Amino acid sequence: MGRLPALIILSVLLLAFDYYCYRAILSVFKKWKPTTKKLFSIIWWTYTGILVIGVFAAIYVPSYLPLYLSLRSVILVAFFLTLVCKIVMLPFLLIDDIRRLFVKINRSFKSKSTAVLTEREPQTMVGEPISRSSFIIKAGLITAAIPLTSLTWGISSGAYDYKIKRRTLVLPNLPKAFEGIRFGQISDIHSGSFYNKKAVQGGVDMLLAEKPDFIFFTGDLVNDMATEMRDYQDLFSKVKAPLGVYSVLGNHDYGDYHFGGAPSAAKARNLQDVIKTHKVMGWDLLMNEHRRLKIDGEEIGILGIENWGMGRFPKYGRMDLATKDTDDLPVKLLLSHDPSHWRQEVLKKYPQIDAMFSGHTHGMQFGVRTEHYQWSPIQYIYKEWAGLYKEQNQQLYVNVGYGFLGYPGRVGILPEITIFELKRA
């Protein structure tokens, strides 16, 4: 099924769901004046119509139009929040309808089994309409306000609330010249989702203020299109370090979600534009290759592969190419966007990799993360989803991301800038 038919079907379902909620609310607030009901109806359906039209426009209007990205963000945020609130309310409506169905069945049974009404069963019970439970519906409205409040807070407060995570990385074979070297990691910029350039600049300033010796970027520069970096290329060009900035591609950088999985000329051009953007910013993009980082005559290896992910995610990465001619390097640091690559291939086949650096999960942008405890629904999909992991002599660090995707905010899992310090065992 194509994207347009699927979107039309989804819109029809959402409109039906909207009507269901609308009728339930009106049935509870029967005491409203006719003018109040009319005003409520106008506001309800105008808002719904604007959202549906807006979602189609956000997907199909050309991205080069002025204010497109900002307006698209506003529309999609409103659509997302509205949908979540109504989904939360749905169980309450279903419970009330099930209650009413049982009452109706019970009344029907009584009317058939009793030919003559007794004094204990007044006549009003037989034909009396079964009203909705005001308590259940109002409870649903109050409950729906809870995610609205928390998600709205996550948008206004969490989306750009960058946090610096400091980690010491102990590597047994680390050359003496690299003792105490500090480097940074950011991941998952997703520039197409940004709507506050000044706030994004604040995160870049925080990273640069740490004065790292080198920096890693572990993929997903854009959501789909290279043009999304139009307003942010100059900003991220400021991300520099004395020993270089090393980057890799993520699953979103290939344009698969916009152009489809099949090869095409437009898709190839878009990928080349993404690659060119890394170059223009001065970032050293590693595509199944490695670099030798030298200090005082001693070297370590920085390896980077194209995206390699489990399941439906593309497997463009070639570890055989990235590790070629690296046997003499005492330490090898691998940049690989998807953390599932660590367990699926690196641990099994490449014991020479000392540490791998990933992103991809975003921590689902929702959960709890403290110094000693973390939880997110994403952990039921990814065994390694945030922070530092160790198995035998190998390590993995998963950065929960600089930007955001889909939901334009973060609740509990805040955007991350990681600063590492290298130590010898």
Side-chain angles (χ1 to χ4, degrees):
M1 180 183 294
R3 185 166 59 176
L4 180 59
L7 194 57
I8 291 173
I9 292 172
L10 179 62
S11 298
V12 171
L13 291 174
L14 290 176
L15 287 171
F17 182 30
D18 243 29
Y19 182 75
Y20 183 45
C21 293
Y22 166 77
R23 295 297 302 174
I25 293 172
L26 281 185
S27 67
V28 170
F29 296 97
K30 293 179 178 178
K31 294 182 180 180
W32 278 353
K33 296 178 180 179
T35 53
T36 304
K37 287 186 178 181
K38 185 177 181 180
L39 179 62
F40 172 77
S41 300
I42 292 172
I43 293 173
W44 180 281
W45 291 112
T46 300
Y47 178 74
T48 298
I50 290 173
L51 280 188
V52 172
I53 294 171
V55 169
F56 275 87
I59 293 173
Y60 290 103
V61 169
S63 61
Y64 54 77
L65 291 183
L67 301 178
Y68 168 75
L69 290 177
S70 299
L71 182 59
R72 184 186 68 173
S73 297
V74 171
I75 292 169
L76 294 179
V77 167
F79 182 80
F80 177 82
L81 291 177
T82 304
L83 181 61
V84 169
C85 291
K86 290 177 181 177
I87 289 175
V88 170
M89 188 178 173
L90 180 61
F92 292 87
L93 300 181
L94 293 175
I95 289 170
D96 191 49
D97 277 338
I98 292 171
R99 177 194 66 82
R100 296 170 70 207
L101 177 62
F102 275 108
V103 171
K104 185 175 182 180
I105 292 173
N106 185 50
R107 288 186 181 183
S108 177
F109 176 77
K110 284 185 177 181
S111 65
K112 290 179 181 179
S113 60
T114 307
V116 180
L117 294 172
T118 64
E119 292 181 359
R120 293 182 180 180
E121 295 179 296
Q123 191 170 356
T124 53
M125 287 187 61
V126 178
E128 183 181 302
I130 305 165
S131 63
R132 280 194 175 275
S133 168
S134 176
F135 172 78
I136 294 176
I137 303 303
K138 288 178 181 178
L141 290 171
I142 293 172
T143 305
I146 295 174
L148 176 63
T149 303
S150 62
L151 292 172
T152 302
W153 174 255
I155 294 169
S156 63
S157 176
Y160 302 103
D161 189 10
Y162 302 105
K163 298 298 180 185
I164 292 180
K165 296 285 184 179
R166 303 183 189 278
R167 294 288 181 266
T168 298
L169 195 64
V170 179
L171 301 172
N173 299 321
L174 186 71
K176 187 176 181 180
F178 286 85
E179 175 79 20
I181 286 291
R182 298 168 71 249
F183 67 96
Q185 182 195 2
I186 57 173
S187 190
D188 298 85
I189 286 174
H190 286 289
S191 56
S193 298
F194 289 145
Y195 53 88
N196 188 334
K197 190 172 183 179
K198 186 176 181 180
V200 177
Q201 173 72 63
V204 170
D205 292 341
M206 288 175 67
L207 170 62
L208 296 178
E210 293 294 319
K211 296 182 173 18
D213 295 292
F214 57 94
I215 297 171
F216 290 161
F217 171 67
T218 44
D220 278 358
L221 185 66
V222 299
N223 293 344
D224 298 296
M225 305 293 291
T227 52
E228 295 166 11
M229 279 296 290
R230 178 186 59 224
D231 296 329
Y232 293 92
Q233 181 173 298
D234 60 333
L235 195 159
F236 284 102
S237 294
K238 298 175 183 177
V239 176
K240 307 286 187 185
L243 298 178
V245 179
Y246 303 90
S247 60
V248 291
L249 299 176
N251 54 298
H252 280 267
D253 295 320
Y254 295 91
D256 291 351
Y257 305 108
H258 181 83
F259 297 99
S264 70
K267 181 179 174 181
R269 282 195 302 272
N270 183 69
L271 177 57
Q272 289 306 309
D273 287 342
V274 171
I275 293 171
K276 183 180 179 181
T277 300
H278 284 254
K279 184 177 181 180
V280 169
M281 294 191 300
W283 295 6
D284 190 355
L285 180 62
L286 304 178
M287 300 181 68
N288 304 322
E289 53 193 325
H290 73 273
R291 300 288 184 265
R292 290 172 176 265
L293 199 60
K294 182 179 289 188
I295 298 178
D296 296 337
E298 296 184 301
E299 293 181 322
I300 64 172
I302 298 177
L303 292 67
I305 67 163
E306 296 190 58
N307 193 80
W308 196 107
M310 67 177 182
R312 64 185 177 88
F313 294 107
K315 295 178 174 60
Y316 299 124
R318 291 281 304 275
M319 284 294 293
D320 57 325
L321 298 179
T323 56
K324 186 178 179 181
D325 299 327
T326 61
D327 291 344
D328 63 311
L329 293 169
V331 166
K332 302 176 186 66
L333 307 180
L334 172 66
L335 280 63
S336 179
H337 176 69
D338 193 317
S340 66
H341 180 225
W342 190 61
R343 189 161 296 280
Q344 294 292 321
E345 186 178 47
V346 174
L347 287 177
K348 295 177 181 179
K349 301 179 182 179
Y350 296 92
Q352 70 268 41
I353 299 298
D354 296 275
M356 175 173 140
F357 301 86
S358 298
H360 184 62
T361 71
H362 298 212
M364 201 173 267
Q365 298 168 212
F366 177 83
V368 177
R369 195 179 187 198
T370 67
E371 192 64 31
H372 303 291
Y373 176 78
Q374 60 183 29
W375 174 89
S376 168
I378 197 67
Q379 70 186 52
Y380 305 114
I381 302 173
Y382 288 90
K383 187 173 182 179
E384 293 83 23
W385 61 276
L388 186 63
Y389 301 86
K390 299 180 182 179
E391 190 155 317
Q392 297 179 359
N393 295 322
Q394 294 179 279
Q395 301 180 65
L396 165 70
Y397 191 86
V398 184
N399 180 296
V400 296
Y402 188 92
F404 45 85
L405 182 68
Y407 167 55
R410 288 174 176 265
V411 179
I413 307 293
L414 298 176
E416 177 180 354
I417 299 166
T418 321
I419 301 297
F420 297 92
E421 183 177 358
L422 293 176
K423 291 288 185 182
R424 303 172 72 191

